[in-house]
Amino acid sequence: MRAWLYRVATNLALNHLQQRNARAHVALDEAWPDGHDIEQRMSEHDLVQQVLQRLTPKQRGVLLLYEVHGLSGDEIGSLLNMSRTAIKGALWRAREAFRLEYLRAGGEE
Amino acid sequence: MDRCTLALSPETLSAWQARLLPSQEQHDIATHIPHCVPCQRTLAAFARMAHILQQEPPASFSGHDVWNVILRHILHEERGPMHTTRPLVGVAVAAALILIAALVFTHMSKQPGASTLPPPTATTSMVASPTIAATQTATRSPTSTSTLPTLTPTVDPRSRIHNASPNNVPLFVSISYTSATTYKQAAAILPNGPYGENCDGVPRTPFPATYPETQFRTTHMLLMSYATWNQLLVIAADPHVTSVDGTSLPPCP
């Protein structure tokens, strides 16, 4: 179980570093290849970052692991040592917190 | 206004999307959603949120502490079992020790006359061999706090005496000393002093005319004349002496 956790964490970290290194110096138009309005994207980017910063670390972790890194609920629960019930509530609270903060910050529903 | 016929909450739909519900419930909701507009709306909101987050460049997440959260939980997982098992191990060891002590006490109490067992005493008996008793000298160290005498065993001095016997003591003996013996120590051992080693001013050969300290350092030997057997025993018993040999001197030229 512990080995599995380490493997998942290691893979996540490696993927994260790989992506970060690959994208750290790319141009904005490469980061958003389909975007026509870079200024609008930058504004959206700032908004998302601002909203994420308003979440608790646990909410951020659960939300990003699920929505961005594609881990399943059970995988997140195993990784963070949380029960299925706990991860269910945590994911919902993270989603709701993000939605509310996003709307409060001026984002469109 | 549309209503969910199953009255599913957004939290339940979130769990359904994450496949965190029991399989039967997962199946029921899956068959329900195509016919439920409110549920579809809620799921669309989730999808939009995911889309917003997934549009972010991955590098933008590097500033967040998601990895710190994961690491903290992994470390907690690593430490958790140890913290919970250490007290249990301590209790188990203490219980085992108590059990062993109880068993030993029970066993001892069943032994006949166990209560009259004398306390252990440290006795030291010195049994000297008759053959070496006469050759041992018991000396008490003045600085020692021990009440036991310190025996300094020595070899039989007679074993160091050669070419001499109680009934036949030659006129001259050569005494060999250890290499650590100084000339003064060697000379002090001899009751008559070192032999005057010349023939009216002419050196005896092969012995030098004198036994200066420098010569003694090389030979570690002195000559003695007219010794008695008891003197030879005393000389031979000295720890500086390695050998006492009866000898005859070369004649004077």
PDB file of all heavy atoms in Angstrom, chain B residues 182-219:
ATOM      1  N   THR B 182      69.248  -0.646  34.547  1.00  0.00           N
ATOM      2  CA  THR B 182      70.342   0.320  34.438  1.00  0.00           C
ATOM      3  C   THR B 182      71.562  -0.220  35.180  1.00  0.00           C
ATOM      4  O   THR B 182      71.476  -1.175  35.961  1.00  0.00           O
ATOM      5  CB  THR B 182      69.926   1.673  35.041  1.00  0.00           C
ATOM      6  OG1 THR B 182      69.687   1.494  36.440  1.00  0.00           O
ATOM      7  CG2 THR B 182      68.666   2.207  34.375  1.00  0.00           C
ATOM      8  N   TYR B 183      72.645   0.421  34.929  1.00  0.00           N
ATOM      9  CA  TYR B 183      73.895  -0.008  35.567  1.00  0.00           C
ATOM     10  C   TYR B 183      73.829   0.151  37.080  1.00  0.00           C
ATOM     11  O   TYR B 183      74.275  -0.724  37.834  1.00  0.00           O
ATOM     12  CB  TYR B 183      75.071   0.803  35.022  1.00  0.00           C
ATOM     13  CG  TYR B 183      76.386   0.445  35.656  1.00  0.00           C
ATOM     14  CD1 TYR B 183      77.086  -0.707  35.277  1.00  0.00           C
ATOM     15  CD2 TYR B 183      76.946   1.248  36.654  1.00  0.00           C
ATOM     16  CE1 TYR B 183      78.277  -1.057  35.870  1.00  0.00           C
ATOM     17  CE2 TYR B 183      78.149   0.903  37.254  1.00  0.00           C
ATOM     18  CZ  TYR B 183      78.804  -0.250  36.860  1.00  0.00           C
ATOM     19  OH  TYR B 183      79.994  -0.596  37.458  1.00  0.00           O
ATOM     20  N   LYS B 184      73.229   1.239  37.534  1.00  0.00           N
ATOM     21  CA  LYS B 184      73.121   1.471  38.977  1.00  0.00           C
ATOM     22  C   LYS B 184      72.267   0.396  39.635  1.00  0.00           C
ATOM     23  O   LYS B 184      72.582  -0.103  40.724  1.00  0.00           O
ATOM     24  CB  LYS B 184      72.512   2.854  39.246  1.00  0.00           C
ATOM     25  CG  LYS B 184      73.493   3.992  39.048  1.00  0.00           C
ATOM     26  CD  LYS B 184      72.880   5.309  39.507  1.00  0.00           C
ATOM     27  CE  LYS B 184      73.911   6.430  39.414  1.00  0.00           C
ATOM     28  NZ  LYS B 184      73.355   7.729  39.816  1.00  0.00           N
ATOM     29  N   GLN B 185      71.174   0.044  38.995  1.00  0.00           N
ATOM     30  CA  GLN B 185      70.306  -1.001  39.536  1.00  0.00           C
ATOM     31  C   GLN B 185      71.050  -2.338  39.595  1.00  0.00           C
ATOM     32  O   GLN B 185      70.960  -3.082  40.578  1.00  0.00           O
ATOM     33  CB  GLN B 185      69.028  -1.140  38.676  1.00  0.00           C
ATOM     34  CG  GLN B 185      68.060   0.033  38.787  1.00  0.00           C
ATOM     35  CD  GLN B 185      66.928  -0.083  37.770  1.00  0.00           C
ATOM     36  OE1 GLN B 185      67.112  -0.637  36.689  1.00  0.00           O
ATOM     37  NE2 GLN B 185      65.774   0.464  38.133  1.00  0.00           N
ATOM     38  N   ALA B 186      71.787  -2.616  38.536  1.00  0.00           N
ATOM     39  CA  ALA B 186      72.511  -3.891  38.479  1.00  0.00           C
ATOM     40  C   ALA B 186      73.588  -3.961  39.563  1.00  0.00           C
ATOM     41  O   ALA B 186      73.735  -4.987  40.241  1.00  0.00           O
ATOM     42  CB  ALA B 186      73.143  -4.058  37.088  1.00  0.00           C
ATOM     43  N   ALA B 187      74.285  -2.869  39.729  1.00  0.00           N
ATOM     44  CA  ALA B 187      75.371  -2.864  40.726  1.00  0.00           C
ATOM     45  C   ALA B 187      74.828  -2.936  42.135  1.00  0.00           C
ATOM     46  O   ALA B 187      75.425  -3.555  43.037  1.00  0.00           O
ATOM     47  CB  ALA B 187      76.218  -1.603  40.539  1.00  0.00           C
ATOM     48  N   ALA B 188      73.629  -2.323  42.349  1.00  0.00           N
ATOM     49  CA  ALA B 188      73.056  -2.312  43.696  1.00  0.00           C
ATOM     50  C   ALA B 188      72.588  -3.685  44.124  1.00  0.00           C
ATOM     51  O   ALA B 188      72.468  -3.977  45.316  1.00  0.00           O
ATOM     52  CB  ALA B 188      71.903  -1.318  43.731  1.00  0.00           C
ATOM     53  N   ILE B 189      72.296  -4.520  43.142  1.00  0.00           N
ATOM     54  CA  ILE B 189      71.814  -5.862  43.480  1.00  0.00           C
ATOM     55  C   ILE B 189      72.936  -6.728  44.068  1.00  0.00           C
ATOM     56  O   ILE B 189      72.700  -7.570  44.931  1.00  0.00           O
ATOM     57  CB  ILE B 189      71.216  -6.516  42.210  1.00  0.00           C
ATOM     58  CG1 ILE B 189      69.925  -5.802  41.811  1.00  0.00           C
ATOM     59  CG2 ILE B 189      70.938  -8.011  42.433  1.00  0.00           C
ATOM     60  CD1 ILE B 189      69.408  -6.196  40.448  1.00  0.00           C
ATOM     61  N   LEU B 190      74.137  -6.480  43.629  1.00  0.00           N
ATOM     62  CA  LEU B 190      75.258  -7.325  44.042  1.00  0.00           C
ATOM     63  C   LEU B 190      75.767  -6.885  45.424  1.00  0.00           C
ATOM     64  O   LEU B 190      76.195  -5.732  45.608  1.00  0.00           O
ATOM     65  CB  LEU B 190      76.396  -7.229  43.020  1.00  0.00           C
ATOM     66  CG  LEU B 190      75.983  -7.537  41.564  1.00  0.00           C
ATOM     67  CD1 LEU B 190      77.189  -7.464  40.634  1.00  0.00           C
ATOM     68  CD2 LEU B 190      75.303  -8.889  41.470  1.00  0.00           C
ATOM     69  N   PRO B 191      75.708  -7.781  46.435  1.00  0.00           N
ATOM     70  CA  PRO B 191      76.116  -7.382  47.794  1.00  0.00           C
ATOM     71  C   PRO B 191      77.592  -7.004  47.890  1.00  0.00           C
ATOM     72  O   PRO B 191      77.969  -6.140  48.688  1.00  0.00           O
ATOM     73  CB  PRO B 191      75.800  -8.633  48.626  1.00  0.00           C
ATOM     74  CG  PRO B 191      75.723  -9.764  47.665  1.00  0.00           C
ATOM     75  CD  PRO B 191      75.267  -9.172  46.367  1.00  0.00           C
ATOM     76  N   ASN B 192      78.398  -7.641  47.086  1.00  0.00           N
ATOM     77  CA  ASN B 192      79.826  -7.314  47.143  1.00  0.00           C
ATOM     78  C   ASN B 192      80.231  -6.315  46.066  1.00  0.00           C
ATOM     79  O   ASN B 192      81.424  -5.999  45.950  1.00  0.00           O
ATOM     80  CB  ASN B 192      80.683  -8.572  46.979  1.00  0.00           C
ATOM     81  CG  ASN B 192      80.348  -9.625  48.031  1.00  0.00           C
ATOM     82  OD1 ASN B 192      79.926  -9.274  49.140  1.00  0.00           O
ATOM     83  ND2 ASN B 192      80.522 -10.886  47.693  1.00  0.00           N
ATOM     84  N   GLY B 193      79.270  -5.873  45.323  1.00  0.00           N
ATOM     85  CA  GLY B 193      79.606  -4.965  44.236  1.00  0.00           C
ATOM     86  C   GLY B 193      80.157  -5.732  43.059  1.00  0.00           C
ATOM     87  O   GLY B 193      80.511  -6.923  43.154  1.00  0.00           O
ATOM     88  N   PRO B 194      80.264  -5.079  41.909  1.00  0.00           N
ATOM     89  CA  PRO B 194      80.835  -5.741  40.731  1.00  0.00           C
ATOM     90  C   PRO B 194      82.294  -6.096  40.985  1.00  0.00           C
ATOM     91  O   PRO B 194      83.004  -5.422  41.728  1.00  0.00           O
ATOM     92  CB  PRO B 194      80.699  -4.680  39.634  1.00  0.00           C
ATOM     93  CG  PRO B 194      79.665  -3.733  40.127  1.00  0.00           C
ATOM     94  CD  PRO B 194      79.759  -3.747  41.618  1.00  0.00           C
ATOM     95  N   TYR B 195      82.707  -7.176  40.374  1.00  0.00           N
ATOM     96  CA  TYR B 195      84.078  -7.662  40.527  1.00  0.00           C
ATOM     97  C   TYR B 195      85.057  -6.669  39.936  1.00  0.00           C
ATOM     98  O   TYR B 195      84.842  -6.127  38.852  1.00  0.00           O
ATOM     99  CB  TYR B 195      84.234  -9.022  39.843  1.00  0.00           C
ATOM    100  CG  TYR B 195      85.636  -9.546  39.841  1.00  0.00           C
ATOM    101  CD1 TYR B 195      86.294  -9.905  41.031  1.00  0.00           C
ATOM    102  CD2 TYR B 195      86.339  -9.674  38.631  1.00  0.00           C
ATOM    103  CE1 TYR B 195      87.578 -10.374  41.018  1.00  0.00           C
ATOM    104  CE2 TYR B 195      87.639 -10.149  38.629  1.00  0.00           C
ATOM    105  CZ  TYR B 195      88.251 -10.507  39.831  1.00  0.00           C
ATOM    106  OH  TYR B 195      89.534 -10.978  39.819  1.00  0.00           O
ATOM    107  N   GLY B 196      86.172  -6.452  40.695  1.00  0.00           N
ATOM    108  CA  GLY B 196      87.250  -5.622  40.183  1.00  0.00           C
ATOM    109  C   GLY B 196      87.952  -6.377  39.073  1.00  0.00           C
ATOM    110  O   GLY B 196      88.655  -7.356  39.302  1.00  0.00           O
ATOM    111  N   GLU B 197      87.755  -5.956  37.926  1.00  0.00           N
ATOM    112  CA  GLU B 197      87.983  -6.779  36.752  1.00  0.00           C
ATOM    113  C   GLU B 197      89.334  -6.514  36.071  1.00  0.00           C
ATOM    114  O   GLU B 197      89.429  -6.424  34.875  1.00  0.00           O
ATOM    115  CB  GLU B 197      86.872  -6.587  35.731  1.00  0.00           C
ATOM    116  CG  GLU B 197      86.719  -5.150  35.239  1.00  0.00           C
ATOM    117  CD  GLU B 197      86.052  -4.255  36.266  1.00  0.00           C
ATOM    118  OE1 GLU B 197      85.502  -4.752  37.261  1.00  0.00           O
ATOM    119  OE2 GLU B 197      86.093  -3.054  36.061  1.00  0.00           O
ATOM    120  N   ASN B 198      90.314  -6.346  36.799  1.00  0.00           N
ATOM    121  CA  ASN B 198      91.611  -6.254  36.119  1.00  0.00           C
ATOM    122  C   ASN B 198      92.672  -7.017  36.924  1.00  0.00           C
ATOM    123  O   ASN B 198      92.452  -7.392  38.081  1.00  0.00           O
ATOM    124  CB  ASN B 198      92.041  -4.802  35.904  1.00  0.00           C
ATOM    125  CG  ASN B 198      92.079  -4.007  37.190  1.00  0.00           C
ATOM    126  OD1 ASN B 198      92.484  -4.552  38.222  1.00  0.00           O
ATOM    127  ND2 ASN B 198      91.667  -2.768  37.142  1.00  0.00           N
ATOM    128  N   CYS B 199      93.699  -7.248  36.235  1.00  0.00           N
ATOM    129  CA  CYS B 199      94.813  -7.975  36.844  1.00  0.00           C
ATOM    130  C   CYS B 199      95.937  -6.969  37.095  1.00  0.00           C
ATOM    131  O   CYS B 199      96.780  -6.758  36.229  1.00  0.00           O
ATOM    132  CB  CYS B 199      95.313  -9.095  35.924  1.00  0.00           C
ATOM    133  SG  CYS B 199      94.090 -10.349  35.592  1.00  0.00           S
ATOM    134  N   ASP B 200      95.825  -6.368  38.231  1.00  0.00           N
ATOM    135  CA  ASP B 200      96.848  -5.383  38.583  1.00  0.00           C
ATOM    136  C   ASP B 200      96.988  -4.342  37.482  1.00  0.00           C
ATOM    137  O   ASP B 200      98.090  -4.052  37.015  1.00  0.00           O
ATOM    138  CB  ASP B 200      98.197  -6.076  38.841  1.00  0.00           C
ATOM    139  CG  ASP B 200      98.114  -7.082  39.970  1.00  0.00           C
ATOM    140  OD1 ASP B 200      97.380  -6.813  40.945  1.00  0.00           O
ATOM    141  OD2 ASP B 200      98.756  -8.144  39.859  1.00  0.00           O
ATOM    142  N   GLY B 201      95.875  -3.867  37.082  1.00  0.00           N
ATOM    143  CA  GLY B 201      95.895  -2.802  36.078  1.00  0.00           C
ATOM    144  C   GLY B 201      95.829  -3.306  34.667  1.00  0.00           C
ATOM    145  O   GLY B 201      95.628  -2.536  33.735  1.00  0.00           O
ATOM    146  N   VAL B 202      95.936  -4.635  34.490  1.00  0.00           N
ATOM    147  CA  VAL B 202      95.861  -5.165  33.129  1.00  0.00           C
ATOM    148  C   VAL B 202      94.494  -5.819  32.942  1.00  0.00           C
ATOM    149  O   VAL B 202      94.112  -6.678  33.749  1.00  0.00           O
ATOM    150  CB  VAL B 202      96.986  -6.189  32.865  1.00  0.00           C
ATOM    151  CG1 VAL B 202      96.881  -6.746  31.450  1.00  0.00           C
ATOM    152  CG2 VAL B 202      98.341  -5.549  33.104  1.00  0.00           C
ATOM    153  N   PRO B 203      93.814  -5.466  31.925  1.00  0.00           N
ATOM    154  CA  PRO B 203      92.466  -6.037  31.758  1.00  0.00           C
ATOM    155  C   PRO B 203      92.525  -7.521  31.489  1.00  0.00           C
ATOM    156  O   PRO B 203      93.393  -8.015  30.787  1.00  0.00           O
ATOM    157  CB  PRO B 203      91.897  -5.280  30.563  1.00  0.00           C
ATOM    158  CG  PRO B 203      92.934  -4.344  30.105  1.00  0.00           C
ATOM    159  CD  PRO B 203      94.162  -4.502  30.917  1.00  0.00           C
ATOM    160  N   ARG B 204      91.568  -8.231  32.111  1.00  0.00           N
ATOM    161  CA  ARG B 204      91.410  -9.636  31.798  1.00  0.00           C
ATOM    162  C   ARG B 204      90.711  -9.741  30.438  1.00  0.00           C
ATOM    163  O   ARG B 204      89.776  -9.016  30.158  1.00  0.00           O
ATOM    164  CB  ARG B 204      90.563 -10.342  32.852  1.00  0.00           C
ATOM    165  CG  ARG B 204      91.248 -10.485  34.203  1.00  0.00           C
ATOM    166  CD  ARG B 204      90.291 -11.164  35.152  1.00  0.00           C
ATOM    167  NE  ARG B 204      90.839 -11.212  36.515  1.00  0.00           N
ATOM    168  CZ  ARG B 204      91.617 -12.222  36.950  1.00  0.00           C
ATOM    169  NH1 ARG B 204      91.940 -13.225  36.172  1.00  0.00           N
ATOM    170  NH2 ARG B 204      92.072 -12.226  38.189  1.00  0.00           N
ATOM    171  N   THR B 205      91.129 -10.628  29.640  1.00  0.00           N
ATOM    172  CA  THR B 205      90.457 -10.886  28.368  1.00  0.00           C
ATOM    173  C   THR B 205      89.638 -12.157  28.535  1.00  0.00           C
ATOM    174  O   THR B 205      90.088 -13.088  29.227  1.00  0.00           O
ATOM    175  CB  THR B 205      91.496 -11.079  27.228  1.00  0.00           C
ATOM    176  OG1 THR B 205      92.377 -12.113  27.606  1.00  0.00           O
ATOM    177  CG2 THR B 205      92.231  -9.790  26.945  1.00  0.00           C
ATOM    178  N   PRO B 206      88.475 -12.227  27.969  1.00  0.00           N
ATOM    179  CA  PRO B 206      87.852 -11.223  27.059  1.00  0.00           C
ATOM    180  C   PRO B 206      87.099 -10.123  27.770  1.00  0.00           C
ATOM    181  O   PRO B 206      86.397  -9.348  27.141  1.00  0.00           O
ATOM    182  CB  PRO B 206      86.911 -12.102  26.237  1.00  0.00           C
ATOM    183  CG  PRO B 206      86.430 -13.103  27.208  1.00  0.00           C
ATOM    184  CD  PRO B 206      87.608 -13.409  28.088  1.00  0.00           C
ATOM    185  N   PHE B 207      87.186 -10.067  29.120  1.00  0.00           N
ATOM    186  CA  PHE B 207      86.440  -9.028  29.824  1.00  0.00           C
ATOM    187  C   PHE B 207      87.163  -7.702  29.729  1.00  0.00           C
ATOM    188  O   PHE B 207      88.388  -7.654  29.781  1.00  0.00           O
ATOM    189  CB  PHE B 207      86.276  -9.428  31.289  1.00  0.00           C
ATOM    190  CG  PHE B 207      85.501 -10.702  31.453  1.00  0.00           C
ATOM    191  CD1 PHE B 207      86.174 -11.880  31.728  1.00  0.00           C
ATOM    192  CD2 PHE B 207      84.133 -10.742  31.309  1.00  0.00           C
ATOM    193  CE1 PHE B 207      85.484 -13.075  31.887  1.00  0.00           C
ATOM    194  CE2 PHE B 207      83.450 -11.921  31.463  1.00  0.00           C
ATOM    195  CZ  PHE B 207      84.101 -13.111  31.742  1.00  0.00           C
ATOM    196  N   PRO B 208      86.466  -6.670  29.614  1.00  0.00           N
ATOM    197  CA  PRO B 208      87.105  -5.349  29.563  1.00  0.00           C
ATOM    198  C   PRO B 208      87.692  -4.981  30.920  1.00  0.00           C
ATOM    199  O   PRO B 208      87.373  -5.588  31.935  1.00  0.00           O
ATOM    200  CB  PRO B 208      85.973  -4.411  29.163  1.00  0.00           C
ATOM    201  CG  PRO B 208      84.749  -5.118  29.645  1.00  0.00           C
ATOM    202  CD  PRO B 208      85.015  -6.578  29.514  1.00  0.00           C
ATOM    203  N   ALA B 209      88.548  -4.023  30.910  1.00  0.00           N
ATOM    204  CA  ALA B 209      89.212  -3.598  32.142  1.00  0.00           C
ATOM    205  C   ALA B 209      88.197  -3.033  33.118  1.00  0.00           C
ATOM    206  O   ALA B 209      88.349  -3.188  34.327  1.00  0.00           O
ATOM    207  CB  ALA B 209      90.279  -2.563  31.825  1.00  0.00           C
ATOM    208  N   THR B 210      87.223  -2.415  32.607  1.00  0.00           N
ATOM    209  CA  THR B 210      86.190  -1.848  33.482  1.00  0.00           C
ATOM    210  C   THR B 210      84.813  -2.181  32.895  1.00  0.00           C
ATOM    211  O   THR B 210      84.680  -2.624  31.747  1.00  0.00           O
ATOM    212  CB  THR B 210      86.317  -0.327  33.591  1.00  0.00           C
ATOM    213  OG1 THR B 210      86.227   0.233  32.279  1.00  0.00           O
ATOM    214  CG2 THR B 210      87.658   0.064  34.203  1.00  0.00           C
ATOM    215  N   TYR B 211      83.877  -2.045  33.703  1.00  0.00           N
ATOM    216  CA  TYR B 211      82.496  -2.210  33.232  1.00  0.00           C
ATOM    217  C   TYR B 211      81.786  -0.860  33.288  1.00  0.00           C
ATOM    218  O   TYR B 211      80.958  -0.631  34.153  1.00  0.00           O
ATOM    219  CB  TYR B 211      81.758  -3.229  34.095  1.00  0.00           C
ATOM    220  CG  TYR B 211      82.023  -4.643  33.672  1.00  0.00           C
ATOM    221  CD1 TYR B 211      82.976  -5.402  34.322  1.00  0.00           C
ATOM    222  CD2 TYR B 211      81.312  -5.220  32.642  1.00  0.00           C
ATOM    223  CE1 TYR B 211      83.246  -6.712  33.940  1.00  0.00           C
ATOM    224  CE2 TYR B 211      81.548  -6.525  32.254  1.00  0.00           C
ATOM    225  CZ  TYR B 211      82.512  -7.271  32.903  1.00  0.00           C
ATOM    226  OH  TYR B 211      82.762  -8.555  32.516  1.00  0.00           O
ATOM    227  N   PRO B 212      82.166  -0.031  32.424  1.00  0.00           N
ATOM    228  CA  PRO B 212      81.500   1.259  32.421  1.00  0.00           C
ATOM    229  C   PRO B 212      80.029   1.094  32.002  1.00  0.00           C
ATOM    230  O   PRO B 212      79.627   0.046  31.494  1.00  0.00           O
ATOM    231  CB  PRO B 212      82.295   2.075  31.417  1.00  0.00           C
ATOM    232  CG  PRO B 212      82.845   1.076  30.486  1.00  0.00           C
ATOM    233  CD  PRO B 212      83.104  -0.149  31.313  1.00  0.00           C
ATOM    234  N   GLU B 213      79.338   2.126  32.257  1.00  0.00           N
ATOM    235  CA  GLU B 213      77.902   2.082  31.964  1.00  0.00           C
ATOM    236  C   GLU B 213      77.639   1.811  30.501  1.00  0.00           C
ATOM    237  O   GLU B 213      76.705   1.091  30.149  1.00  0.00           O
ATOM    238  CB  GLU B 213      77.265   3.410  32.402  1.00  0.00           C
ATOM    239  CG  GLU B 213      75.771   3.361  32.521  1.00  0.00           C
ATOM    240  CD  GLU B 213      75.223   4.584  33.235  1.00  0.00           C
ATOM    241  OE1 GLU B 213      76.018   5.343  33.811  1.00  0.00           O
ATOM    242  OE2 GLU B 213      74.009   4.782  33.184  1.00  0.00           O
ATOM    243  N   THR B 214      78.498   2.371  29.653  1.00  0.00           N
ATOM    244  CA  THR B 214      78.283   2.161  28.217  1.00  0.00           C
ATOM    245  C   THR B 214      78.474   0.698  27.868  1.00  0.00           C
ATOM    246  O   THR B 214      77.731   0.156  27.042  1.00  0.00           O
ATOM    247  CB  THR B 214      79.263   3.032  27.399  1.00  0.00           C
ATOM    248  OG1 THR B 214      80.580   2.792  27.886  1.00  0.00           O
ATOM    249  CG2 THR B 214      78.913   4.499  27.538  1.00  0.00           C
ATOM    250  N   GLN B 215      79.456   0.049  28.480  1.00  0.00           N
ATOM    251  CA  GLN B 215      79.696  -1.365  28.206  1.00  0.00           C
ATOM    252  C   GLN B 215      78.535  -2.220  28.716  1.00  0.00           C
ATOM    253  O   GLN B 215      78.115  -3.171  28.082  1.00  0.00           O
ATOM    254  CB  GLN B 215      81.000  -1.796  28.870  1.00  0.00           C
ATOM    255  CG  GLN B 215      81.496  -3.143  28.425  1.00  0.00           C
ATOM    256  CD  GLN B 215      81.977  -3.107  26.971  1.00  0.00           C
ATOM    257  OE1 GLN B 215      82.352  -2.043  26.467  1.00  0.00           O
ATOM    258  NE2 GLN B 215      81.948  -4.256  26.328  1.00  0.00           N
ATOM    259  N   PHE B 216      78.041  -1.872  29.918  1.00  0.00           N
ATOM    260  CA  PHE B 216      76.925  -2.615  30.494  1.00  0.00           C
ATOM    261  C   PHE B 216      75.694  -2.538  29.610  1.00  0.00           C
ATOM    262  O   PHE B 216      74.927  -3.498  29.498  1.00  0.00           O
ATOM    263  CB  PHE B 216      76.603  -2.076  31.895  1.00  0.00           C
ATOM    264  CG  PHE B 216      75.425  -2.747  32.527  1.00  0.00           C
ATOM    265  CD1 PHE B 216      75.538  -3.996  33.117  1.00  0.00           C
ATOM    266  CD2 PHE B 216      74.173  -2.141  32.519  1.00  0.00           C
ATOM    267  CE1 PHE B 216      74.452  -4.617  33.678  1.00  0.00           C
ATOM    268  CE2 PHE B 216      73.091  -2.763  33.079  1.00  0.00           C
ATOM    269  CZ  PHE B 216      73.215  -4.007  33.670  1.00  0.00           C
ATOM    270  N   ARG B 217      75.515  -1.381  28.957  1.00  0.00           N
ATOM    271  CA  ARG B 217      74.351  -1.237  28.085  1.00  0.00           C
ATOM    272  C   ARG B 217      74.395  -2.239  26.943  1.00  0.00           C
ATOM    273  O   ARG B 217      73.372  -2.632  26.418  1.00  0.00           O
ATOM    274  CB  ARG B 217      74.286   0.187  27.520  1.00  0.00           C
ATOM    275  CG  ARG B 217      73.768   1.207  28.529  1.00  0.00           C
ATOM    276  CD  ARG B 217      73.847   2.597  27.950  1.00  0.00           C
ATOM    277  NE  ARG B 217      73.532   3.607  28.955  1.00  0.00           N
ATOM    278  CZ  ARG B 217      73.815   4.888  28.814  1.00  0.00           C
ATOM    279  NH1 ARG B 217      74.448   5.316  27.733  1.00  0.00           N
ATOM    280  NH2 ARG B 217      73.509   5.728  29.754  1.00  0.00           N
ATOM    281  N   THR B 218      75.610  -2.630  26.607  1.00  0.00           N
ATOM    282  CA  THR B 218      75.731  -3.577  25.504  1.00  0.00           C
ATOM    283  C   THR B 218      75.620  -5.021  25.990  1.00  0.00           C
ATOM    284  O   THR B 218      74.912  -5.823  25.391  1.00  0.00           O
ATOM    285  CB  THR B 218      77.086  -3.383  24.798  1.00  0.00           C
ATOM    286  OG1 THR B 218      77.197  -2.034  24.391  1.00  0.00           O
ATOM    287  CG2 THR B 218      77.206  -4.296  23.593  1.00  0.00           C
ATOM    288  N   THR B 219      76.318  -5.312  27.094  1.00  0.00           N
ATOM    289  CA  THR B 219      76.374  -6.707  27.539  1.00  0.00           C
ATOM    290  C   THR B 219      75.274  -7.073  28.511  1.00  0.00           C
ATOM    291  O   THR B 219      74.874  -8.234  28.583  1.00  0.00           O
ATOM    292  CB  THR B 219      77.717  -6.979  28.216  1.00  0.00           C
ATOM    293  OG1 THR B 219      77.837  -6.138  29.368  1.00  0.00           O
ATOM    294  CG2 THR B 219      78.874  -6.703  27.271  1.00  0.00           C
TER     295      THR B 219
END
